[in-house]
């Protein structure tokens, strides 16, 4: 992923320690990055380590500030918005959408819709806005939870980041073992939980949720449920198929909105093969070749490759002229 990472700390009644921000930032500096930014004022601080992922992200300066008659807003965001043109028409009709950054659209959405703004957003996002006039901190995560959001909240501090290790590095969170999380892991083999982590004092903001903090306390709200999606009534199965194809092509095109090389994991199964076929076709129209990979190394010693993943992914690579790599991953890797 080319991803943007952010963190914020609020320690009521005391100044934010620069060393705490640096300790959190150090977690993210281990990854490649294009830019960094930091803002601290009294008890509130935002930091951001940025990797550019879309053409517009090159124009981002994060954290982003905006001052208006309604007051100052400060934003930290890990976001790729897919309904940019729709949002621009609604929020900034006099501004060309080309070059308009996602952070500008996020702030404009908050100005217009307040805490209900995530309901109007499509894409992958996790963001936090400090509303200085209202003395309110607003946090939101996308509907599916593609972008991570971890936080710690107690009577004195609120800390957030897009990696659990950064919250832990603040030394402001309870890092004792979360026994319910351990139980789920031992019982199910994975920790599938919308909110638990292995740290007792560090939670995940659930997908499709917002968290608001002000002097009255904290409020966690869910703004989206899959079961609330509108029912579609179509004439026959062929109409459904065409609609599904349209939606797949649209969603894949959103994820190809980048100036950087695009790669896909290709196992040869139904899901990855379908996504790869559509992405490769779209990129070929631009004169580009899709790079693909899977986790199965080729056999050594001249023995035939009998793995279905190797065989099927090789067929896909040949049919769609892909730059396909077989990646060997060991425990040490």
């Amino acid at each position: 992923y080319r991803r943007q990472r952010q963190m914020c700390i609020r320690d009521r009644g005391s100044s934010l320690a620069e060393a705490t921000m640096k300790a959190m930032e150090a977690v993210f500096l281990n990854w490649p990055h294009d830019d960094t930014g930091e803002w601290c004022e009294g008890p509130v601080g935002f930091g951001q380590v940025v990797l550019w992922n879309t053409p517009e992200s090159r124009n981002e300066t994060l954290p982003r500030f905006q001052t208006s008659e309604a007051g100052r807003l400060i934003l930290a965001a890990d976001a790729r918005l897919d309904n940019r043109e729709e949002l621009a028409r609604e929020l900034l009709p006099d501004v060309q959408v080309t070059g308009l950054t996602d952070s500008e659209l996020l702030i404009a959405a908050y100005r217009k819709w307040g805490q209900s703004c995530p309901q109007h957003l499509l894409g992958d996002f996790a963001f936090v806005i400090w509303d200085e006039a209202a003395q309110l901190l607003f946090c939101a995560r996308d509907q599916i939870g593609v972008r991570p959001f971890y936080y710690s909240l107690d009577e004195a501090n609120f800390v957030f980041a897009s990696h659990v290790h950064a919250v832990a590095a603040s030394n402001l969170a309870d890092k004792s073992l979360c026994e319910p999380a351990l139980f789920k892991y031992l019982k199910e083999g994975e920790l599938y939980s919308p909110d638990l982590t292995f740290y007792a004092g560090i939670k995940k903001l659930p997908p499709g949720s917002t968290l608001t903090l002000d002097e009255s306390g904290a409020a966690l709200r869910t703004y989206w449920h899959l079961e609330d999606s509108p029912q579609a009534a179509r004439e026959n199965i062929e109409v459904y198929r065409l609609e599904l194809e349209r939606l797949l092509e649209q969603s894949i095109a959103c994820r190809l909105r980048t100036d950087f090389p695009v790669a896909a994991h290709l196992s040869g199964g139904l899901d990855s093969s379908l996504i790869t076929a559509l992405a490769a076709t779209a990129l070929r129209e631009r004169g580009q070749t899709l790079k693909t990979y899977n986790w199965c190394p080729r056999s050594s010693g001249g023995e035939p490759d009998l793995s279905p993943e190797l065989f099927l992914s090789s067929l896909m690579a040949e049919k769609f002229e892909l730059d396909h790599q077989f990646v060997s991953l060991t425990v040490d890797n």
Side-chain angles (χ1 to χ4, degrees):
Y1 299 112
R2 302 186 68 81
R3 177 161 289 185
Q4 304 167 14
R5 302 168 170 88
Q6 71 282 339
M7 62 267 189
C8 164
I9 305 164
R10 185 181 184 199
D11 183 353
R12 295 174 185 160
S14 65
S15 296
L16 181 63
E18 182 179 356
T20 304
M21 292 286 287
K22 293 298 183 184
M24 297 179 70
E25 181 184 59
V27 173
F28 297 116
L29 293 178
N30 290 320
W31 283 285
H33 54 280
D34 297 309
D35 195 13
T36 62
E38 188 174 295
W39 169 82
C40 293
E41 197 167 292
V44 185
F46 282 17
Q48 185 114 21
V49 179
V50 178
L51 270 164
W52 297 325
N53 54 5
T54 66
E56 297 78 22
S57 65
R58 297 178 185 272
N59 301 324
E60 292 277 21
T61 300
L62 294 164
R64 174 171 286 277
F65 307 83
Q66 189 196 74
T67 302
S68 73
E69 294 180 357
R72 186 169 62 155
L73 300 178
I74 299 95
L75 167 83
D78 173 10
R80 190 203 69 247
L81 296 180
D82 294 337
N83 60 332
R84 287 170 45 83
E85 293 187 3
E86 174 189 339
L87 290 171
R89 284 195 302 269
E90 177 74 19
L91 302 170
L92 301 166
D94 298 327
V95 180
Q96 288 289 330
V97 67
T98 304
L100 192 64
T101 64
D102 288 351
S103 64
E104 290 175 277
L105 290 169
L106 286 172
I107 286 181
Y110 181 82
R111 290 281 191 201
K112 181 175 179 65
W113 296 303
Q115 296 178 36
S116 65
C117 65
Q119 300 174 33
H120 300 268
L121 306 176
L122 293 178
D124 301 341
F125 56 84
F127 66 90
V128 175
I129 291 176
W130 171 241
D131 186 335
E132 189 175 54
Q135 290 289 286
L136 177 147
L137 195 71
F138 177 70
C139 316
R141 192 176 180 200
D142 63 69
Q143 292 89 338
I144 304 299
V146 177
R147 292 293 192 256
F149 193 109
Y150 297 90
Y151 71 92
S152 171
L153 174 65
D154 59 28
E155 293 182 356
N157 303 291
F158 175 72
V159 187
F160 79 88
S162 53
H163 200 293
V164 67
H165 290 170
V167 180
S170 72
N171 288 323
L172 295 173
D174 177 5
K175 291 185 282 187
S176 60
L177 181 66
C178 177
E179 293 186 358
L182 177 62
F183 173 79
K184 284 182 67 69
Y185 177 78
L186 294 176
K187 179 175 180 287
E188 301 171 5
E190 295 285 352
L191 180 54
Y192 294 120
S193 171
D195 57 348
L196 295 179
T197 75
F198 287 111
Y199 292 109
I202 302 178
K203 306 296 183 185
K204 290 183 285 187
L205 182 62
S209 297
T210 65
L211 179 64
T212 305
L213 295 96
D214 59 19
E215 290 302 323
S216 66
L220 179 65
R221 301 182 179 91
T222 300
Y223 67 87
W224 184 87
H225 297 90
L226 177 60
E227 54 268 28
D228 293 335
S229 300
Q231 296 296 309
R234 301 291 185 261
E235 294 82 3
N236 54 58
I237 193 68
E238 177 64 11
V239 179
Y240 279 106
R241 184 191 69 78
L242 292 172
E243 178 68 2
L244 177 59
E245 184 176 356
R246 183 189 70 81
L247 290 170
L248 279 169
E249 289 176 347
Q250 184 183 55
S251 62
I252 288 169
C254 290
R255 285 151 183 82
L256 298 178
R257 185 171 62 85
T258 177
D259 291 336
F260 301 95
V262 179
H265 174 247
L266 175 61
S267 69
L270 177 63
D271 295 345
S272 66
S273 295
L274 176 59
I275 292 169
T276 295
L278 292 173
T281 301
L283 288 172
R284 190 179 299 115
E285 294 175 355
R286 308 179 192 175
Q288 301 175 24
T289 300
L290 179 67
K291 298 178 183 293
T292 56
Y293 60 94
N294 67 22
W295 306 125
C296 293
R298 288 192 177 277
S299 61
S300 57
E303 298 178 359
D305 292 327
L306 301 178
S307 164
E309 183 163 331
L310 285 168
F311 176 70
L312 292 172
S313 64
S314 297
L315 284 180
M316 283 290 298
E318 181 179 354
K319 178 176 178 60
F320 287 93
E321 301 177 351
L322 306 172
D323 180 0
H324 190 50
Q325 304 293 324
F326 298 93
V327 181
S328 177
L329 285 182
T330 65
V331 173
D332 290 338
N333 296 149

